[in-house]
Amino acid sequence: IGMAGCFPQAEIYGPALAKAHYLESKVADYPRILVGPTLVSYLEAHAKNPENTREARANRGTAALCLRLLTRDSDGCWIIDYLGDEFSQLSTNPTGWQKLRSGAHAFVDAEFARFAKEGNKKLAERYERLQRYFHMRGFPPAPARSNNEP
């Protein structure tokens, strides 16, 4: 949300892109999709717009839906809640959606185990935080490994 310029043979650039880059490179800290407070304020304003025009009603509904796709993470940052109920309800293929979510959960658990085994503390901590998000959304923790397992 904000000013941007479109440069020939390049991408759009402006303060919003710079803020998004900052959030992803400096604040995210683990695999998640952050949403800045400016976008949240923008969506809240549109969700509360009292005008009764067709455009205002459409904007109000879309903004309200977008807000339901967000949640606050454990550190207070706004994130896209791709494991939340609202995303599940948007799926046109619930079985495929559940399979995708389960596969992502297995991947996260495997990557955490791999990085922990390799002694890569930085990436193990990041995947552990991602595991917590999955657990917060009802996915069970990975079974404990014995010291003999690879």
Side-chain angles (χ1 to χ4, degrees):
I1 305 297
M3 291 180 53
C6 185
F7 298 94
Q9 306 299 319
E11 297 179 4
I12 294 174
Y13 191 78
L17 182 61
K19 288 178 186 177
H21 179 267
Y22 172 77
L23 287 173
E24 292 299 318
S25 65
K26 305 293 183 196
V27 181
D29 193 44
Y30 75 97
R32 61 183 175 165
I33 304 168
L34 292 176
V35 175
T38 304
L39 178 58
V40 174
S41 296
Y42 177 84
L43 292 171
E44 288 172 339
H46 279 278
K48 295 174 184 173
N49 182 353
E51 292 179 32
N52 200 24
T53 65
R54 183 174 42 158
E55 292 82 8
R57 288 190 304 271
N59 286 341
R60 196 167 39 248
T62 302
L65 170 63
C66 290
L67 285 168
R68 291 191 307 270
L69 297 174
L70 305 179
T71 192
R72 289 237 189 218
D73 205 353
S74 58
D75 61 359
C77 290
W78 286 101
I79 62 170
I80 296 180
D81 190 15
Y82 53 85
L83 295 177
D85 291 339
E86 197 66 37
F87 263 90
S88 295
Q89 293 172 10
L90 290 174
S91 175
T92 58
N93 179 354
T95 304
W97 178 245
Q98 188 57 38
K99 189 175 180 180
L100 180 66
R101 289 167 36 119
S102 295
H105 181 233
F107 174 81
V108 168
D109 284 345
E111 289 298 278
F112 169 71
R114 178 171 72 95
F115 292 128
K117 182 179 178 184
E118 291 174 359
N120 188 332
K121 185 178 178 182
K122 180 180 178 180
L123 290 178
E125 287 175 356
R126 288 179 178 182
Y127 275 90
E128 185 176 33
R129 289 188 69 191
L130 188 53
Q131 278 183 323
R132 285 197 296 264
Y133 169 65
F134 272 80
H135 301 162
M136 192 173 71
R137 289 294 177 244
F139 287 82
R145 297 174 153 247
S146 72
N147 290 337
N148 300 347
E149 288 187 62

